[in-house]
Each structure stands twice: as C-alpha cells, then as structure tokens.
C-alpha cells in the first residue's frame, strides 16, 4: 500500500471506531504524527475522505470530522432506499441459482446467529455484508459505486446508535423475505420488501439521532 492508501485506511478506521469523534477538529500535523508519516499523504487522504462526505478540509484550520445529523440520514436514505430496492429487483430478474446466492444466504444465517448470541456488532457486520452482496447481485457497477459512498455515512450513524436500537429481529425477517423473492425471481416482491425495510430503518435511525441530539449527548 502507498502512504496515501495507508493514511486513508487508518483515518477511516479512526472515524468509524469513534476515535475521531463526529464534530471534532484535528490538525494535519497531529494526525501525521499519530500515523507515523509525513503531512502530505494525510492531506491527500483527507481530501479523499472529504469527497466521501466524512470530513471537511479547511485551509489553515485542519480537518473537521463531519457530525452525523438526522437530516443527512433522511437525505441519504431517500437515495439509498431507491437504489438498493432497484438492485433487489434486478437481482430477482437475473435468475440466479442457489449457489450464486450462497453469499447472500450466508450473511442472513450469520445475522440470525448473531441475534441468538445477542452480539450486535457481529449482526451489524453481517448486515453490511448482506447489503453489499445485494447491490453486487443487482449487476450495476455505477449504482454500486454511489451506494458505497452513502453506506459509509450510514455505518457511522449506526455505530453511534447500535446499542440504543431495539433488537433487529424484524430486520432479519425482511432479509429472509428479500432473499426468497430473489430466489423465486419475484422482482416486484423483492423491490417492495426491501423498499419498506429501508424506509423503516431510516425512521428508526432518524428517531434515535434526534433523541440523542435532544439530550445533548
């Protein structure tokens, strides 16, 4: 990996882990010292993160990690819901066999196992795999690129609210239904189920963010 790639990977990990908290400010020189590299690759990585909507790079003022806002989530989910639902419909139309849907099925099984073990972090990781695979099965590379950028924002919001949310049993049920619709080549049901699933997820997440911000945490 180049120094820019290493800086990008490290900074993303620090943002998603909360080490670089939403709304916090950081000097490029300080981040470079933390990462054990020069300022130049850190700045280039920061500009890439800015394009992904994760930070703001401000001349002579350093890097600010963008806060997670309820309105951002509304806007992102408006687009994400439509694109992922389209991918679900296209996957159903593709006529995949069971072997080609094995990764999707495995992610659902992993989500079920995680809930049985009350392991929300493992559930979130399996949920991410489900949505990535669903988009891949949709077969539209441009759609996948757009969704990947938006998914990063959703991951940050979910990391903030993961242990505040109800147990996501309904989410697992929805995933099973989407899988069954894709396997049955029922594009209308795949689209409708995933669309309703993402709208419900948006409402839950936005409600938690608003409550969280209301209490000033």
């Amino acid at each position: 990996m180049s120094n820019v790639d290493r800086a990008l990977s490290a900074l993303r990990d620090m943002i998603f882990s909360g080490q670089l908290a939403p709304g916090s400010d950081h000097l490029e020189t300080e981040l470079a010292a933390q990462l054990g590299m020069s300022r130049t690759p850190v700045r280039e990585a920061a500009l890439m993160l800015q394009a992904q909507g994760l930070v703001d790079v401000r001349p002579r003022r350093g890097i600010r990690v963008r806060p997670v806002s309820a309105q951002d989530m509304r806007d992102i989910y408006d687009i994400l819901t439509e694109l992922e639902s389209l991918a679900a419909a296209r996957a159903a139309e593709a006529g995949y066999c069971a072997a080609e849907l094995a990764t999707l099925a495995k992610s659902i099984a992993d989500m079920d196992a995680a809930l049985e073990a009350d392991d929300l972090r493992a559930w979130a990781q399996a949920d991410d795999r489900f949505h990535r695979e669903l988009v891949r099965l949709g077969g539209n590379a441009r759609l996948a690129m757009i969704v990947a950028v938006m998914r990063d924002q959703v991951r940050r919001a979910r990391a903030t609210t993961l242990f505040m949310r109800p147990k996501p049993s309904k989410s697992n049920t929805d995933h099973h239904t989407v899988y069954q619709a894709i396997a049955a080549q029922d594009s209308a049901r795949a689209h409708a189920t995933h669309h309703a699933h993402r709208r419900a997820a948006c409402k839950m997440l936005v409600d938690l963010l608003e409550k969280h911000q209301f209490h000033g945490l």
Side-chain angles (χ1 to χ4, degrees):
M1 296 175 69
S2 70
N3 280 343
V4 174
D5 289 334
R6 290 198 300 112
L8 180 63
S9 177
L11 291 173
R12 281 174 58 86
D13 287 345
M14 292 163 77
I15 290 169
F16 287 121
S17 70
Q19 186 177 347
L20 299 181
S24 61
D25 296 292
H26 307 273
L27 295 175
E28 292 171 7
T29 50
E30 292 174 355
L31 292 173
Q34 280 185 262
L35 299 178
M37 59 181 64
S38 68
R39 180 179 171 182
T40 299
V42 170
R43 179 167 182 78
E44 290 184 29
L47 290 171
M48 295 168 72
L49 291 171
Q50 180 172 251
Q52 295 170 11
L54 295 175
V55 304
D56 291 314
V57 179
R58 301 174 299 172
R60 297 178 298 281
R61 295 173 61 193
I63 298 163
R64 184 169 192 263
V65 181
R66 288 188 182 176
V68 178
S69 83
Q71 187 56 52
D72 281 345
M73 286 303 103
R74 287 191 189 94
D75 293 344
I76 287 168
Y77 264 95
D78 278 348
I79 301 168
L80 189 64
T81 298
E82 300 302 326
L83 293 181
E84 282 197 356
S85 299
L86 175 61
R90 292 288 184 265
E93 292 167 0
Y96 292 116
C97 67
E100 292 168 318
L101 297 177
T103 299
L104 198 67
K106 177 66 164 56
S107 67
I108 296 171
D110 289 345
M111 278 186 276
D112 288 340
L115 284 195
E116 284 289 327
D118 288 322
D119 188 342
L120 285 179
R121 286 196 177 90
W123 174 85
Q125 291 168 358
D127 181 68
D128 280 340
R129 292 198 302 273
F130 174 88
H131 287 277
R132 285 198 305 270
E133 180 65 4
L134 178 69
V135 169
R136 188 190 73 79
L137 291 169
N140 185 322
R142 292 182 184 275
L143 183 154
M145 285 190 293
I146 296 168
V147 168
V149 173
M150 295 183 178
R151 192 181 294 124
D152 280 346
Q153 295 284 28
V154 172
R155 280 180 59 205
R156 278 212 308 153
R158 188 169 62 185
T160 302
T161 60
L162 184 60
F163 295 98
M164 303 174 190
R165 62 168 295 162
K167 191 171 182 178
S169 301
K170 176 63 166 60
S171 181
N172 282 23
T173 300
D174 291 343
H175 291 140
H176 279 283
T177 304
V178 170
Y179 173 86
Q180 291 161 3
I182 292 171
Q185 301 179 34
D186 187 340
S187 62
R189 184 159 66 109
H191 185 283
T193 301
H194 195 75
H195 197 278
H197 166 70
R198 275 309 205 182
R199 295 308 298 169
C202 177
K203 184 180 186 309
M204 182 274 299
L205 186 57
V206 166
D207 286 350
L208 284 173
L209 287 172
E210 290 180 336
K211 181 179 180 181
H212 180 74
Q213 291 171 357
F214 176 78
H215 288 293
L217 298 176

